[in-house]
Amino acid sequence: MRPTPQPSFSRPGAAALALLLAFTAPCALAADGETASSSASSAEESDLRALLSAPVEAATKLPQRVLEAPSVTSLVTQQTIQSFGWSSLNELLYMQPGFFPSRQYERWTVGARGLFEPWYNNHIVLLVDGVPFGDAETGSAYTWELTPLFPWKSVEVVRGPGSALYGSGAVNGVVSLTTPSPTKELERTGYASVQVGDLGRRAYEGMAADDFAYAGVLAAFSRTSTDGNPRLDFDASGRTNPDGTLARFPVRDGRQSTYLLAKIDAKGPLEGLSFQFHHQDWNFQNDHGYSDLSPAAPDSMREWRDMGILRWRTPGSPAVSEDFVVRLQRHGYDYDAQMVPAGVTTGGIDYPSGANETLVTHTDELFARAQVAWRSTGGASLLGGVEYSGLLYKGDERHTANFDVRAGGDWAPTAGDVALGSYYAPIEGRPVHHLGAYAQAVSGPLLGRLLSVTAGARYDGTSASYVDPAAPDQPARTRRFEEVSPRLAVVLTPGESTALKVMGARAFRAPDTAELFPSNTAIQSSNPGGLRPETLDTVELAGTWLANDHVELRANGYWFRLANLIGYDGLTVANLYTTEHVGAEVEALWDLDLGHRGRLAGFASWAYAALLRERSLGPGLEAAHRLAWAPAHSAKVGLNHQLGRASLAASLLYQGAVARRPSDLVTPEYRALRPDAIPAWATVDVNALWRARPWLRVGIRVTNLLDTQARVVAPGDLPFDHAVEGRRVLATMVLEP
């Protein structure tokens, strides 16, 4: 069942940190995140003052200067992504202040501000061109290789709550991907890349665009595969060696993913109309297994998703603009999962042949949005919109198991495979409806351009009619969730280079379909009647100072209270705890012109999070007395040196010690196998590129250069943690005709 709940920093690691910090004058992740001098081709590109004027939209859904946006926003360009060699959103986000690596089962997820992120990865809202791009059943942001980085013009990262505009799930932040326009930015272009490395790492990417009489067309393709981090490790089965010590078993981490993007932007009489199609296909192994029991043989696990987006936006930049979106999404599963290996006893039941469950099914979702905005010539704006989404499930193509996991079953082995009831039996043929309505007002410059005020709120309502699969003859029940998410921000700009922001907001996450309604399954637990929405109240103070044209300094502090966090309590999905945190994040961004020695750019950040108080909401998880499952301290440093046709980039990720909760430290035998707190660790990545020809780039990237044996926490009373991959070497060739 999916719960939702390293040695010390080595001398080589300390030396590498000292070496990189020696360069730490302010950095160049420009305008809140973009590496300003990834290209030394023009002084304008490397001028942080110009980058502070770069427009961002995720904070208010309307273009604003980064400096004036009522949020803590980072803008990362494609140029920065290529310089550091990042290939997934995970790699990009882990280098942003306040975010850190988390993992559960097969998924690397994104924790933030002292909050561990479980398998769902659903506390971040992911957008593509402003349209929600998360999974319909879980709200998950697909941040691993499944969503590659190369097709996007830029990535906006908003730290902190965004529910006042984006609704459920925008608790830890909003990540917005922007595709380039094939009619205005790409015209005719081509791109192809091949990356080959050890442990089965292969990546093939391609993109092409053309501009025709009535439309521009963009197509992109990605195929990646890796053996991941295969190894021997303990599991929770209690199986022993002949000498009585706990045994280790193979941990399989192989992954393959395919991504396809097709985009059409109309021109002429249909300008403003666009269509996008996204296809994602993912095959993976289950790491330690969905029951924390390492499968005896490779699982056969596949998910896929097709998404079509039709959108019309008012062309040009009129005072009044409209935005209409219709999105269709189909999410499919093809699982053959080993829940219990052969010969294991768990829950008091013997499984001589193991326990396997097979599931082939899919869901469909319709999303629609209508939005209108008004902008005055003085900078004031009003925005309002309504959104609807409906999820429909019509049953499974196949759902079987060799143990009785049907509603009311005893989970005992059966004589061969038996047909199970529907995976989402409570809502089969019963749509789950969601309605959202939002409004926002931005004052524009007030008091001689000294300040501006942003105020807004959003209403969200979810309604689901369901039946109890254990009592199908009883009348249907209804679950309703209603939330209002307000927001208020004041931005003071005493000069063109300085901003002070005071922000307060409420965010929430409603229980999702995958937490409420799975049945007849061991793959996922559910709790249709007992879950309450998560709510987060926060206050934040942030400041930005462009010290000169080459140095930018930023700092922010926050307080939040997150109530009713949803996770797995050892028996079922439940509200686990309410927690209150404070924290601070400090950044420095810079670029230096070294004359005939090229250009040096960099970034540095430090983040701190602390637990004020925590209250457990059930017996399955004991409240922590200090920050648990997340690092209190983290630091990131990056350097990029360009000289002629060559560039060399290095980055360091430092994560402080991670404490466990008292309920993780119950079994003495497990405590002997893993420390009571995960020690601090640091990894260093290096990426070297050389433009051999105007149309050819070659490079080599080394991740975890020092081969640090790092771990991230596995929540619960378990004998293992998740291992960070060791040193990996990857060679790259890029064709840009």
Side-chain angles (χ1 to χ4, degrees):
M1 293 167 290
R2 271 177 230 167
T4 308
Q6 94 182 6
S8 300
F9 192 22
S10 65
R11 289 184 179 179
L17 177 60
L19 178 63
L20 287 177
L21 287 177
F23 288 97
T24 306
C27 90
L29 270 186
D32 299 7
E34 169 193 330
T35 302
S37 58
S38 297
S39 169
S41 59
S42 76
E44 183 179 359
E45 286 179 343
S46 62
D47 186 348
L48 289 178
R49 188 178 299 277
L51 287 165
L52 279 174
S53 299
V56 292
E57 295 192 19
T60 60
K61 292 196 173 189
L62 294 171
Q64 287 181 296
R65 294 174 61 210
V66 175
L67 187 72
E68 298 169 349
S71 63
V72 180
T73 299
S74 299
L75 177 64
V76 185
T77 66
Q78 184 59 227
Q79 209 164 37
T80 299
I81 292 167
Q82 293 178 7
S83 295
F84 286 93
W86 299 328
S87 59
S88 70
L89 280 169
N90 277 345
E91 290 185 305
L92 185 155
L93 291 172
Y94 294 160
M95 297 307 294
Q96 302 300 309
F99 295 105
F100 61 91
S102 292
R103 177 156 185 165
Q104 197 170 42
Y105 307 110
E106 81 282 1
R107 296 190 181 184
W108 282 99
T109 60
V110 183
R113 295 184 169 181
L115 291 173
F116 166 82
E117 185 65 72
W119 180 89
Y120 296 105
N121 213 36
N122 54 9
H123 289 84
I124 292 175
V125 164
L126 182 61
L127 310 172
V128 170
D129 291 337
V131 179
F133 199 67
D135 174 56
E137 295 156 57
T138 66
S140 294
Y142 292 168
T143 56
W144 50 98
E145 302 100 324
L146 190 58
T147 306
L149 282 181
F150 77 95
W152 318 113
K153 180 179 68 173
S154 62
V155 180
E156 293 180 36
V157 181
V158 178
R159 282 177 263 155
S163 290
L165 283 177
Y166 300 106
S168 180
V171 173
N172 289 340
V174 177
V175 178
S176 180
L177 311 177
T178 302
T179 59
S181 168
T183 62
K184 299 175 182 178
E185 294 163 326
L186 291 179
E187 296 181 346
R188 293 178 176 83
T189 190
Y191 166 91
S193 171
V194 177
Q195 187 177 71
V196 179
D198 50 358
L199 282 177
R201 171 68 182 183
R202 302 289 186 272
Y204 308 96
E205 299 173 345
M207 184 166 65
D210 208 344
D211 190 12
F212 299 99
Y214 293 102
V217 178
L218 168 67
F221 172 81
S222 171
R223 172 72 172 175
T224 66
S225 61
T226 178
D227 295 337
N229 195 19
R231 63 197 184 279
L232 294 176
D233 204 351
F234 303 105
D235 70 359
S237 65
R239 290 174 285 179
T240 60
N241 297 310
D243 62 0
T245 60
L246 282 181
R248 298 175 186 260
F249 301 93
V251 176
R252 299 176 179 88
D253 192 30
R255 307 183 298 277
Q256 293 180 335
S257 62
T258 300
Y259 174 75
L260 175 65
L261 163 66
K263 178 184 179 182
I264 301 173
D265 283 351
K267 296 167 59 179
L270 295 179
E271 183 180 357
L273 183 67
S274 67
F275 174 77
Q276 295 185 21
F277 174 77
H278 300 263
H279 171 73
Q280 294 174 304
D281 202 314
W282 186 33
N283 293 271
F284 58 93
Q285 295 298 303
N286 271 343
D287 193 68
H288 286 85
Y290 278 162
S291 298
D292 296 317
L293 308 174
S294 298
D299 287 314
S300 176
M301 308 292 290
R302 174 180 175 241
E303 290 187 40
W304 56 271
R305 186 168 72 150
D306 289 332
M307 184 182 297
I309 303 171
L310 183 65
R311 187 177 190 182
W312 184 84
R313 287 177 288 180
T314 305
S317 301
V320 178
S321 59
E322 296 88 25
D323 185 357
F324 300 97
V325 176
V326 175
R327 186 198 72 195
L328 295 174
Q329 177 179 181
R330 173 166 288 187
H331 182 195
Y333 302 85
D334 190 345
Y335 283 1
D336 187 359
Q338 185 175 92
M339 308 306 296
V340 182
V344 170
T345 299
T346 182
I349 302 175
D350 296 327
Y351 293 94
S353 300
N356 289 69
E357 182 175 346
T358 299
L359 173 67
V360 181
T361 192
H362 72 269
T363 61
D364 294 300
E365 185 214 22
L366 167 67
F367 169 87
R369 180 174 72 201
Q371 176 181 295
V372 62
W374 168 83
R375 301 193 72 182
S376 73
T377 55
S381 67
L382 295 173
L383 178 143
V386 293
E387 294 179 345
Y388 167 81
S389 66
L391 184 140
L392 182 62
Y393 165 77
K394 295 182 178 180
D396 306 324
E397 288 96 277
R398 184 185 179 197
H399 193 192
T400 62
N402 65 347
F403 62 115
D404 191 0
V405 71
R406 295 168 291 191
D410 58 7
W411 288 47
T414 58
D417 286 347
V418 297
L420 303 177
S422 299
Y423 183 72
Y424 284 127
I427 57 169
E428 185 171 358
R430 298 172 179 270
V432 177
H433 301 284
H434 174 78
L435 179 65
Y438 53 92
Q440 172 187 270
V442 179
S443 69
L446 300 174
L447 302 179
R449 306 187 66 85
L450 176 62
L451 65 83
S452 65
V453 179
T454 299
R458 175 175 170 129
Y459 163 83
D460 286 274
T462 299
S463 176
S465 172
Y466 72 98
V467 296
D468 183 349
D473 296 332
Q474 296 297 315
R477 305 174 185 178
T478 300
R479 283 305 311 264
R480 290 189 176 90
F481 304 101
E482 293 183 303
E483 294 291 334
V484 175
S485 306
R487 170 199 193 188
L488 179 64
V490 177
V491 180
L492 300 170
T493 50
E496 286 294 316
S497 305
T498 307
L500 180 65
K501 306 175 183 183
V502 183
M503 299 165 286
R506 163 166 281 207
F508 81 101
R509 189 179 76 80
D512 57 52
T513 300
E515 292 167 330
L516 292 170
F517 299 122
S519 63
N520 306 301
T521 181
I523 291 175
Q524 176 68 52
S525 296
S526 63
N527 187 356
L531 292 178
R532 301 185 299 276
E534 300 174 6
T535 59
L536 179 137
D537 296 297
T538 185
V539 176
E540 188 158 6
L541 177 66
T544 299
W545 177 43
L546 187 63
N548 55 51
D549 286 349
H550 300 284
V551 175
E552 181 190 354
L553 303 175
R554 309 176 69 216
N556 60 285
Y558 61 85
W559 165 89
F560 71 73
R561 181 179 183 272
L562 176 65
N564 305 324
L565 185 133
I566 299 172
Y568 184 74
D569 66 359
L571 296 173
T572 187
V573 178
N575 295 105
L576 299 182
Y577 58 83
T578 292
T579 188
E580 189 174 337
H581 291 190
V582 293
E585 296 155 357
V586 179
E587 298 176 78
L589 321 172
W590 80 87
D591 67 271
L592 302 172
D593 188 348
L594 304 179
H596 67 279
R597 295 181 180 178
R599 183 173 294 277
L600 180 68
F603 62 89
S605 70
W606 168 80
Y608 171 73
L611 175 69
L612 293 180
R613 58 187 60 86
E614 187 172 286
R615 179 169 61 91
S616 174
L617 301 178
L621 185 137
E622 191 173 341
H625 306 294
R626 58 173 175 161
L627 189 69
W629 295 357
H633 298 271
S634 62
K636 294 90 184 270
V637 181
L639 295 169
N640 177 32
H641 182 236
Q642 286 202 319
L643 180 61
R645 295 185 294 174
S647 71
L648 177 65
S651 60
L652 179 143
L653 169 61
Y654 167 79
Q655 177 166 296
V658 174
R660 306 186 197 278
R661 284 185 163 77
S663 50
D664 298 343
L665 305 171
V666 176
T667 304
E669 193 173 21
Y670 292 170
R671 293 185 69 176
L673 297 174
R674 66 178 193 177
D676 287 358
I678 297 177
W681 52 264
T683 58
V684 176
D685 296 348
V686 177
N687 189 52
L689 293 172
W690 179 53
R691 187 169 288 280
R693 294 287 187 272
W695 46 268
L696 174 65
R697 282 187 290 122
V698 294
I700 186 167
R701 186 179 186 219
V702 183
T703 59
N704 198 357
L705 175 68
L706 304 178
D707 203 23
T708 303
Q709 303 302 299
R711 298 274 175 167
V712 298
V713 68
D717 186 23
L718 297 167
F720 62 85
D721 288 305
H722 297 291
V724 174
E725 289 188 6
R727 183 188 298 115
R728 300 288 185 266
V729 181
L730 308 119
T732 303
M733 181 176 67
V734 180
L735 300 176
E736 296 173 305

